Amino acid sequence: MKINRIVYLFVRRCYMVPWMFHQIIKAGNSDKYTIQERYDKVKNVCHKVNQYAHVNIKATGIENLPKENGYILTPNHQGLFDVLLLIDTCDKPFSTVMRKDLENTPLLKQVMKALDGKTIDRDNPRQGMKIIKEMSDEISKGRNYVIFPEGTRSKKGNIAGDFKGGSFKSAFRVKAPIVPVALINSFKPFDIKDTKPVDVQIHYLEPLYYEDYKDMRTVEVAQLVKSKITEKIEKEINKR
Protein backbone atom coordinates (compact mmCIF):
# COMPACT_ATOMS: atom_id res chain seq x y z
CA MET A 1 0.00 0.00 0.00
CA LYS A 2 1.37 3.40 -0.97
CA ILE A 3 1.40 6.08 1.72
CA ASN A 4 1.69 9.84 1.73
CA ARG A 5 5.36 10.86 1.79
CA ILE A 6 4.76 13.37 4.57
CA VAL A 7 3.30 10.64 6.77
CA TYR A 8 6.31 8.54 5.76
CA LEU A 9 8.63 11.37 6.72
CA PHE A 10 7.15 11.77 10.18
CA VAL A 11 7.10 8.01 10.81
CA ARG A 12 10.65 7.35 9.61
CA ARG A 13 12.09 10.52 11.15
CA CYS A 14 9.89 10.73 14.22
CA TYR A 15 12.93 11.47 16.37
CA MET A 16 13.45 14.65 14.30
CA VAL A 17 9.92 15.99 14.65
CA PRO A 18 10.35 17.52 18.13
CA TRP A 19 13.59 19.16 16.98
CA MET A 20 11.88 20.61 13.89
CA PHE A 21 9.03 22.09 15.90
CA HIS A 22 11.47 23.43 18.48
CA GLN A 23 13.55 25.17 15.81
CA ILE A 24 10.50 26.73 14.18
CA ILE A 25 9.02 27.86 17.50
CA LYS A 26 12.41 29.19 18.54
CA ALA A 27 12.60 31.15 15.29
CA GLY A 28 9.38 32.91 16.25
CA ASN A 29 11.19 34.91 18.95
CA SER A 30 11.45 38.23 17.16
CA ASP A 31 12.87 39.92 20.27
CA LYS A 32 15.93 37.67 20.25
CA TYR A 33 16.60 37.08 16.55
CA THR A 34 16.73 39.26 13.45
CA ILE A 35 14.49 38.38 10.50
CA GLN A 36 17.53 36.93 8.71
CA GLU A 37 18.39 34.73 11.69
CA ARG A 38 14.80 33.55 12.02
CA TYR A 39 14.57 32.89 8.30
CA ASP A 40 17.81 30.88 8.35
CA LYS A 41 16.43 28.63 11.10
CA VAL A 42 13.24 28.01 9.14
CA LYS A 43 15.26 27.46 5.96
CA ASN A 44 17.36 24.79 7.71
CA VAL A 45 14.22 22.90 8.75
CA CYS A 46 12.66 23.21 5.28
CA HIS A 47 15.81 21.84 3.69
CA LYS A 48 15.76 18.80 5.97
CA VAL A 49 12.06 18.20 5.31
CA ASN A 50 12.68 18.23 1.56
CA GLN A 51 15.70 15.98 1.96
CA TYR A 52 13.98 13.45 4.21
CA ALA A 53 10.85 13.47 2.04
CA HIS A 54 12.93 12.54 -1.01
CA VAL A 55 12.14 15.78 -2.83
CA ASN A 56 14.80 16.68 -5.40
CA ILE A 57 14.78 20.37 -6.27
CA LYS A 58 16.04 21.96 -9.46
CA ALA A 59 16.28 25.73 -8.98
CA THR A 60 17.27 28.26 -11.64
CA GLY A 61 17.31 32.04 -11.95
CA ILE A 62 18.42 32.88 -8.41
CA GLU A 63 20.56 35.58 -10.01
CA ASN A 64 17.36 37.27 -11.19
CA LEU A 65 16.38 38.29 -7.67
CA PRO A 66 16.82 42.06 -7.24
CA LYS A 67 19.98 43.07 -5.42
CA GLU A 68 18.05 45.35 -3.11
CA ASN A 69 15.32 44.06 -0.82
CA GLY A 70 11.75 45.26 -1.10
CA TYR A 71 10.37 43.08 -3.88
CA ILE A 72 7.46 40.69 -4.37
CA LEU A 73 7.69 37.06 -5.48
CA THR A 74 4.60 35.95 -7.42
CA PRO A 75 4.61 32.17 -8.03
CA ASN A 76 1.91 29.94 -9.44
CA HIS A 77 0.31 27.99 -6.61
CA GLN A 78 0.22 24.19 -6.55
CA GLY A 79 -0.02 23.36 -2.84
CA LEU A 80 1.33 23.66 0.70
CA PHE A 81 4.76 22.48 -0.42
CA ASP A 82 5.29 25.65 -2.47
CA VAL A 83 6.49 27.73 0.47
CA LEU A 84 8.98 25.03 1.51
CA LEU A 85 10.49 25.11 -1.97
CA LEU A 86 10.77 28.90 -1.95
CA ILE A 87 12.40 28.99 1.47
CA ASP A 88 14.79 26.15 0.62
CA THR A 89 16.04 27.87 -2.54
CA CYS A 90 15.94 31.57 -1.64
CA ASP A 91 18.58 32.95 0.74
CA LYS A 92 16.93 36.33 1.21
CA PRO A 93 14.21 36.37 3.87
CA PHE A 94 10.64 37.01 2.87
CA SER A 95 7.26 37.13 4.54
CA THR A 96 4.14 35.37 3.33
CA VAL A 97 0.44 36.02 2.98
CA MET A 98 -1.98 33.12 3.38
CA ARG A 99 -5.70 32.53 3.66
CA LYS A 100 -7.12 33.05 7.13
CA ASP A 101 -8.64 29.57 7.22
CA LEU A 102 -5.11 28.10 7.17
CA GLU A 103 -3.72 30.14 10.05
CA ASN A 104 -4.04 27.33 12.61
CA THR A 105 -2.46 24.61 10.47
CA PRO A 106 0.29 22.94 12.58
CA LEU A 107 3.84 23.90 11.58
CA LEU A 108 2.53 26.36 8.99
CA LYS A 109 1.26 28.47 11.87
CA GLN A 110 4.70 28.49 13.51
CA VAL A 111 6.44 29.25 10.21
CA MET A 112 4.12 32.20 9.61
CA LYS A 113 4.95 33.62 13.02
CA ALA A 114 8.68 33.18 12.47
CA LEU A 115 8.52 35.00 9.13
CA ASP A 116 6.12 37.74 10.27
CA GLY A 117 3.51 36.40 7.87
CA LYS A 118 0.01 37.80 7.45
CA THR A 119 -3.39 36.21 6.97
CA ILE A 120 -6.05 37.61 4.70
CA ASP A 121 -9.78 37.03 4.93
CA ARG A 122 -11.09 36.87 1.37
CA ASP A 123 -14.64 37.43 2.63
CA ASN A 124 -13.68 40.70 4.33
CA PRO A 125 -12.65 43.37 1.77
CA ARG A 126 -11.90 45.93 4.49
CA GLN A 127 -9.48 43.56 6.22
CA GLY A 128 -7.94 42.75 2.83
CA MET A 129 -7.25 46.43 2.13
CA LYS A 130 -5.71 46.78 5.58
CA ILE A 131 -3.32 43.90 4.85
CA ILE A 132 -2.39 45.41 1.48
CA LYS A 133 -1.52 48.70 3.18
CA GLU A 134 0.55 46.95 5.85
CA MET A 135 2.40 44.96 3.20
CA SER A 136 3.05 48.09 1.16
CA ASP A 137 4.52 49.88 4.17
CA GLU A 138 6.81 46.95 4.97
CA ILE A 139 7.91 46.46 1.35
CA SER A 140 8.82 50.15 1.16
CA LYS A 141 11.09 49.54 4.17
CA GLY A 142 12.86 46.60 2.51
CA ARG A 143 10.75 43.58 3.43
CA ASN A 144 10.23 40.99 0.69
CA TYR A 145 6.91 39.19 0.25
CA VAL A 146 5.54 36.11 -1.46
CA ILE A 147 2.05 36.47 -2.90
CA PHE A 148 0.20 33.74 -4.79
CA PRO A 149 -1.83 35.66 -7.41
CA GLU A 150 -4.20 32.73 -7.98
CA GLY A 151 -5.43 33.11 -4.40
CA THR A 152 -5.78 29.36 -4.03
CA ARG A 153 -3.93 26.32 -5.35
CA SER A 154 -4.50 25.06 -8.86
CA LYS A 155 -6.31 21.73 -9.03
CA LYS A 156 -4.82 21.02 -12.46
CA GLY A 157 -1.20 20.29 -11.62
CA ASN A 158 1.10 22.37 -13.80
CA ILE A 159 -1.76 24.33 -15.38
CA ALA A 160 -2.02 27.66 -13.57
CA GLY A 161 -5.37 29.18 -12.66
CA ASP A 162 -6.44 32.78 -13.14
CA PHE A 163 -4.12 35.43 -11.68
CA LYS A 164 -6.00 38.14 -9.78
CA GLY A 165 -5.13 41.79 -10.34
CA GLY A 166 -5.62 42.66 -6.68
CA SER A 167 -2.53 40.64 -5.80
CA PHE A 168 -0.40 43.34 -7.42
CA LYS A 169 -1.85 46.38 -5.65
CA SER A 170 0.99 46.46 -3.11
CA ALA A 171 3.56 46.53 -5.90
CA PHE A 172 1.85 49.54 -7.51
CA ARG A 173 1.60 51.39 -4.20
CA VAL A 174 5.34 51.31 -3.56
CA LYS A 175 6.70 50.79 -7.10
CA ALA A 176 8.21 47.44 -6.09
CA PRO A 177 9.88 44.92 -8.40
CA ILE A 178 7.71 41.91 -9.23
CA VAL A 179 9.48 38.56 -9.65
CA PRO A 180 7.45 35.88 -11.49
CA VAL A 181 8.28 32.38 -10.19
CA ALA A 182 7.42 29.21 -12.10
CA LEU A 183 6.78 26.10 -9.99
CA ILE A 184 6.68 22.71 -11.70
CA ASN A 185 5.45 19.50 -10.05
CA SER A 186 5.38 21.05 -6.57
CA PHE A 187 1.95 19.45 -6.11
CA LYS A 188 3.46 15.97 -6.20
CA PRO A 189 5.07 15.76 -2.73
CA PHE A 190 1.68 16.19 -1.02
CA ASP A 191 -0.75 14.87 -3.62
CA ILE A 192 0.89 11.68 -4.85
CA LYS A 193 0.84 8.76 -2.44
CA ASP A 194 4.34 7.52 -3.04
CA THR A 195 7.65 7.69 -1.20
CA LYS A 196 9.90 7.38 -4.23
CA PRO A 197 12.11 10.40 -5.03
CA VAL A 198 10.17 13.13 -6.80
CA ASP A 199 11.65 15.91 -8.93
CA VAL A 200 10.30 19.43 -8.63
CA GLN A 201 11.42 22.63 -10.29
CA ILE A 202 11.44 26.28 -9.25
CA HIS A 203 12.45 28.96 -11.73
CA TYR A 204 12.94 32.60 -10.69
CA LEU A 205 12.24 34.64 -13.82
CA GLU A 206 13.44 38.11 -14.73
CA PRO A 207 11.74 40.75 -12.58
CA LEU A 208 9.33 43.38 -13.75
CA TYR A 209 10.40 46.80 -12.47
CA TYR A 210 8.04 49.72 -12.01
CA GLU A 211 9.14 51.25 -15.32
CA ASP A 212 8.00 48.03 -17.00
CA TYR A 213 4.45 48.05 -15.63
CA LYS A 214 3.65 51.61 -14.52
CA ASP A 215 1.34 52.26 -17.47
CA MET A 216 -0.55 48.99 -17.07
CA ARG A 217 -3.61 48.08 -15.02
CA THR A 218 -3.28 45.51 -12.26
CA VAL A 219 -5.28 42.96 -14.27
CA GLU A 220 -2.91 43.45 -17.21
CA VAL A 221 0.09 42.89 -14.97
CA ALA A 222 -1.57 39.74 -13.64
CA GLN A 223 -2.04 38.44 -17.18
CA LEU A 224 1.55 39.30 -18.10
CA VAL A 225 3.01 37.55 -15.05
CA LYS A 226 0.88 34.48 -15.67
CA SER A 227 1.93 34.36 -19.33
CA LYS A 228 5.62 34.45 -18.38
CA ILE A 229 5.16 31.67 -15.83
CA THR A 230 3.05 29.55 -18.19
CA GLU A 231 5.59 29.97 -20.98
CA LYS A 232 8.41 28.80 -18.71
CA ILE A 233 6.43 25.81 -17.45
CA GLU A 234 5.56 24.70 -20.96
CA LYS A 235 9.15 25.15 -22.13
CA GLU A 236 10.56 23.01 -19.30
CA ILE A 237 7.92 20.29 -19.64
CA ASN A 238 8.47 20.05 -23.41
CA LYS A 239 12.17 19.40 -22.85
CA ARG A 240 11.34 15.90 -21.67
Side-chain angles (χ1 to χ4, degrees):
M1 180 180 69
K2 294 182 177 180
I3 64 172
N4 182 283
R5 75 179 56 243
I6 304 303
V7 173
Y8 169 83
L9 164 66
F10 279 93
V11 171
R12 287 294 302 274
R13 302 282 181 172
C14 60
Y15 61 92
M16 292 292 295
V17 174
W19 176 84
M20 291 179 180
F21 269 95
H22 175 71
Q23 290 298 305
I24 297 296
I25 293 172
K26 185 178 179 181
N29 189 342
S30 58
D31 293 331
K32 186 176 181 179
Y33 302 106
T34 65
I35 182 61
Q36 184 67 63
E37 290 171 332
R38 286 182 276 143
Y39 183 81
D40 288 343
K41 290 181 184 297
V42 174
K43 180 180 175 68
N44 186 35
V45 173
C46 289
H47 179 72
K48 291 187 182 300
V49 169
N50 289 328
Q51 180 183 13
Y52 296 154
H54 300 160
V55 178
N56 302 317
I57 305 172
K58 174 186 176 182
T60 68
I62 300 295
E63 69 278 2
N64 287 326
L65 293 176
K67 303 302 180 185
E68 295 184 3
N69 289 320
Y71 55 81
I72 301 174
L73 300 170
T74 56
N76 54 308
H77 195 12
Q78 297 190 356
L80 292 175
F81 224 81
D82 297 349
V83 174
L84 273 71
L85 298 178
L86 288 160
I87 295 174
D88 197 354
T89 57
C90 182
D91 290 333
K92 293 186 176 183
F94 59 76
S95 294
T96 59
V97 180
M98 71 174 182
R99 305 196 318 266
K100 188 174 180 61
D101 57 301
L102 296 175
E103 64 180 343
N104 291 317
T105 303
L107 192 58
L108 183 58
K109 175 182 179 179
Q110 287 76 21
V111 169
M112 289 290 291
K113 180 180 180 181
L115 301 184
D116 297 331
K118 299 183 183 300
T119 59
I120 189 166
D121 185 352
R122 292 184 295 181
D123 296 325
N124 187 337
R126 179 174 296 182
Q127 188 264 358
M129 290 303 299
K130 179 175 179 291
I131 293 299
I132 289 173
K133 183 180 184 305
E134 290 177 0
M135 286 172 50
S136 301
D137 291 342
E138 293 182 9
I139 292 169
S140 67
K141 296 175 183 177
R143 177 65 61 87
N144 306 318
Y145 265 91
V146 169
I147 300 173
F148 294 100
E150 290 160 278
T152 187
R153 58 167 291 185
S154 169
K155 300 296 193 300
K156 298 181 180 180
N158 290 315
I159 300 176
D162 293 332
F163 278 31
K164 298 175 175 58
S167 302
F168 298 90
K169 286 183 179 179
S170 293
F172 272 88
R173 288 174 69 106
V174 294
K175 304 178 181 180
I178 299 168
V179 184
V181 184
L183 298 176
I184 301 175
N185 292 338
S186 64
F187 64 93
K188 289 186 175 181
F190 269 115
D191 291 0
I192 295 180
K193 291 186 177 181
D194 198 341
T195 58
K196 295 179 181 179
V198 60
D199 297 325
V200 300
Q201 299 179 37
I202 178 168
H203 302 278
Y204 296 90
L205 309 182
E206 292 185 3
L208 295 172
Y209 290 95
Y210 183 65
E211 290 299 315
D212 299 319
Y213 66 81
K214 66 178 183 179
D215 296 324
M216 302 172 68
R217 295 178 297 155
T218 55
V219 291
E220 293 173 327
V221 174
Q223 292 171 353
L224 176 60
V225 170
K226 179 183 176 180
S227 68
K228 288 180 176 293
I229 290 173
T230 299
E231 180 181 357
K232 182 62 175 178
I233 291 174
E234 292 176 349
K235 180 180 178 181
E236 292 300 319
I237 289 178
N238 289 333
K239 284 182 179 180
R240 302 170 188 175

